[in-house]
Amino acid sequence: MKGMDVKLASVISEVLSRNAGEGEFHQAVHEVLGSLTRVIAKNPNYADDALIERICEPERQIIFRVPWIDDKGQVQINRGFRVQFNSALGPYKGGLRFHPSVNLGIIKFLGFEQTFKNALTGMPIGGGKGGSDFNPRGRSNNEIMRFCQSFMTELHRHLGEHTDVPAGDIGVGGREIGYMFGQYKRLTNRYEAGVLTGKGLVYGGSRARTEATGYGATYFVERMLASRGSAIEGRRTVVSGSGNVAIYTIEKITQCGGIVVACSDSNGYVVDESGIDLDLVKEIKEVRRARIAEYVTLKGKGAYYVEQGQGSIWDVPCEIAMPSATQNEVTGKDAQTLVANGVKVVGEGANMPSTPEAVRVFQEAGVLFAPGKAANAGGVATSALEMQQNASRDSWTFEQTEARLAKIMHGIHDLCAETAEEYGAPGDYVLGANIAGFVRVAEAMRALGVI
Ligand code: NDP
């Protein structure tokens, strides 16, 4: 905490002791508060009325039991979470994650990050996040449906289009959102389309929402490169993951002329020097719901697979790296390898995928580094566009929605770049994103009084 404002350092120690054992939450608080010293020096009022302490304390945390019956007739129990972090700018907004690793600390880190990310979009949305330690892997469609229905049976009483509006995240895609929306509608007897986003197009979803996070991250990277007179075209790219964010990052990078040579899942990674065949990845992940290892068998010649533990996807040389799987997937060692292999740009599609050590390595090496809370904000921004369409009972074309997304991402890029410049750290997108997001939330909180 060298060089940090004393007040901020004391808030960090208090957050650490009040939220013992929540490592990811500590990491996220450290990262944001670590950027605020220059803001507090310029505007000491932001430290008044325990504003920083309040920003680190979720407004409400809900933990609940989710009982459901599997296909063998056995009762299963999972734990559900919803952390309603901050509603100064609008209703809580943020995804639901279904993954066995989910715990309160992970949901709090995601909710905290979401608050600043949502502020960066300039849309009227607060921050929240939720999920469950339910593992969807290997579960039948009926099991997924019964789980989603039970999860929503409890969660629905805490939601509403003006209160809290969840969406998808890891393990929660269009199918799960559909089952949860169906159960919400049944329980409330209200067709409240704006209560969930990421819905299917036939019942109130927005065009381009599925693509938005990956496309948005690519737009951010494109703008970063363009502001330095460069472009994505012709650049070798590695994208980790093979879920929603990864798939649409691969799609847009390829459309921009980049060559994506590797992607992964939690079991390992595939390399295809001729460029990843996205139709094949979509078939494996969206239709068969299978493992990425199958890529090699289905593709035939030219591709190879490396199992998790035998190597890291970040060993594959590239100029652009887009971590799009999960938190802390890029270690300090991975970052050193990427730098040694000539990486020029890192665009975080996932939330907090780089460890603090990795971020330091990238920044010291002069790599253009786009932090997740700015680079992956396209998903939630398009969710807000979905809410707009629902409120006006309208439906926009793909082109119209994508054009809005591109404009929003360019705006977020420019805001982060200008803020970093204003605070004496040109090119530091981490500082720019943290300060710009914080100032918007802090201004709204001050206006609303001590609540
Ligand atoms: P998906 O569930 O669609 O895909 C996740 C991908 O990451 C899968 O390939 C999965 O592999 C892999 N993965 C997950 N956990 C791990 C792990 N512990 N180790 C290695 N690989 C892992 O999720 P999304 O694409 O929606 O989300 C990816 C990231 O992007 C998350 O950090 C999420 O918070 C973030 N994000 C998502 C947004 C969205 O709109 N969906 C918006 C903004 C951020 P496997 O199938 O083997 O588990």
Side-chain angles (χ1 to χ4, degrees):
M1 296 197 222
K2 217 174 81 199
M4 187 186 282
D5 174 85
V6 183
K7 171 78 187 164
L8 291 168
S10 106
V11 176
I12 291 181
S13 343
E14 200 179 314
V15 168
L16 264 53
S17 67
R18 276 167 65 86
N19 302 278
E22 297 176 353
E24 290 84 358
F25 180 51
H26 298 174
Q27 188 180 330
V29 169
H30 239 285
E31 197 236 297
V32 172
L33 269 54
S35 297
L36 300 183
T37 297
R38 295 174 203 201
V39 193
I40 304 297
K42 205 165 165 181
N43 191 343
N45 291 347
Y46 286 142
D48 290 349
D49 300 329
L51 191 141
I52 318 258
E53 288 89 331
R54 282 187 286 139
I55 259 182
C56 296
E57 183 71 21
E59 290 177 16
R60 190 173 298 109
Q61 307 181 52
I62 302 145
I63 304 182
F64 51 99
R65 178 168 71 199
V66 189
W68 58 283
I69 298 174
D70 68 17
D71 286 347
K72 296 191 191 104
Q74 302 286 319
V75 176
Q76 301 282 340
I77 303 290
N78 285 99
R79 188 171 288 174
F81 301 89
R82 186 72 183 164
V83 173
Q84 299 179 329
F85 221 108
N86 194 303
S87 61
L89 290 172
Y92 310 106
K93 181 90 199 82
L96 298 170
R97 176 177 292 191
F98 292 169
H99 193 272
S101 64
V102 163
N103 58 39
L104 184 61
I106 288 183
I107 299 299
K108 278 165 74 176
F109 120 64
L110 290 164
F112 184 72
E113 286 282 293
Q114 193 82 47
T115 300
F116 303 105
K117 176 191 311 191
N118 293 2
L120 287 174
T121 67
M123 332 271 293
I125 42 179
K129 200 84 187 188
S132 172
D133 58 3
F134 170 69
N135 186 359
R137 174 110 46 101
R139 290 295 178 190
S140 71
N141 201 40
N142 281 336
E143 288 178 319
I144 300 279
M145 182 172 71
R146 286 196 293 273
F147 176 80
C148 288
Q149 290 176 340
S150 181
F151 183 81
M152 187 49 91
T153 299
E154 174 57 33
L155 188 64
H156 86 279
R157 66 189 93 248
H158 306 289
L159 305 182
E161 62 179 324
H162 300 295
T163 308
D164 187 351
V165 183
D169 191 79
I170 292 178
V172 178
R175 173 181 58 169
E176 292 74 17
I177 293 290
Y179 293 149
M180 286 192 271
F181 184 70
Q183 185 71 353
Y184 183 88
K185 186 175 83 60
R186 180 191 199 187
L187 289 164
T188 58
N189 194 29
R190 281 164 63 85
Y191 204 106
E192 195 183 332
V195 76
L196 282 173
T197 60
K199 298 183 294 296
L201 292 181
V202 287
Y203 67 95
S206 170
R207 290 187 180 80
R209 173 61 188 93
T210 307
E211 294 83 356
T213 308
Y215 278 24
T218 309
Y219 283 127
F220 195 101
V221 164
E222 186 191 41
R223 185 78 160 188
M224 265 199 318
L225 283 165
S227 67
R228 280 133 181 112
S230 189
I232 291 173
E233 196 173 353
R235 293 191 186 268
R236 228 179 117 88
T237 304
V238 168
V239 179
S240 64
S242 49
N244 172 268
V245 179
I247 284 176
Y248 293 98
T249 299
I250 298 172
E251 188 160 289
K252 190 46 95 180
I253 290 271
T254 310
Q255 283 173 16
C256 293
I259 306 136
V260 181
V261 292
C263 67
S264 63
D265 63 19
S266 55
N267 291 110
Y269 68 90
V270 287
V271 180
D272 187 343
E273 290 291 342
S274 61
I276 290 288
D277 178 342
L278 191 57
D279 288 339
L280 189 52
V281 175
K282 285 185 182 175
E283 164 74 21
I284 295 168
K285 289 296 169 182
E286 293 177 346
V287 182
R288 297 176 184 224
R289 297 187 186 273
R291 310 312 302 155
I292 201 68
E294 286 197 16
Y295 183 97
V296 178
T297 334
L298 295 167
K299 180 75 198 292
K301 277 205 314 266
Y304 65 92
Y305 175 70
V306 179
E307 211 160 277
Q308 178 76 14
Q310 303 299 310
S312 158
I313 189 171
W314 308 118
D315 296 340
V316 180
C318 60
E319 288 180 281
I320 302 177
M322 306 285 291
S324 308
T326 194
Q327 64 274 0
N328 292 327
E329 56 164 310
V330 187
T331 63
K333 185 166 165 283
D334 292 328
Q336 280 164 1
T337 309
L338 281 162
V339 168
N341 286 335
V343 76
K344 303 273 183 307
V345 183
V346 175
E348 293 190 328
N351 283 308
M352 209 168 75
S354 309
T355 62
E357 172 68 2
V359 178
R360 196 181 56 74
V361 170
F362 292 136
Q363 291 191 321
E364 283 179 7
V367 171
L368 286 178
F369 179 78
K373 72 167 71 61
N376 72 32
V380 74
T382 309
S383 277
L385 299 179
E386 184 173 332
M387 291 161 75
Q388 264 184 48
Q389 292 168 73
N390 294 149
S392 57
R393 300 197 188 283
D394 198 0
S395 165
W396 307 345
T397 63
F398 192 93
E399 291 69 29
Q400 212 178 344
T401 319
E402 197 191 355
R404 286 285 304 269
L405 167 66
K407 196 163 168 227
I408 291 167
M409 293 315 296
H410 291 164
I412 295 174
H413 169 277
D414 295 355
L415 174 67
C416 296
E418 285 156 18
T419 307
E421 184 104 28
E422 182 189 338
Y423 283 89
D428 186 341
Y429 289 90
V430 174
L431 194 101
N434 286 338
I435 293 181
F438 168 80
V439 166
R440 284 191 174 158
V441 177
E443 285 294 336
M445 285 177 73
R446 280 174 56 185
L448 299 180
V450 178
I451 54 170

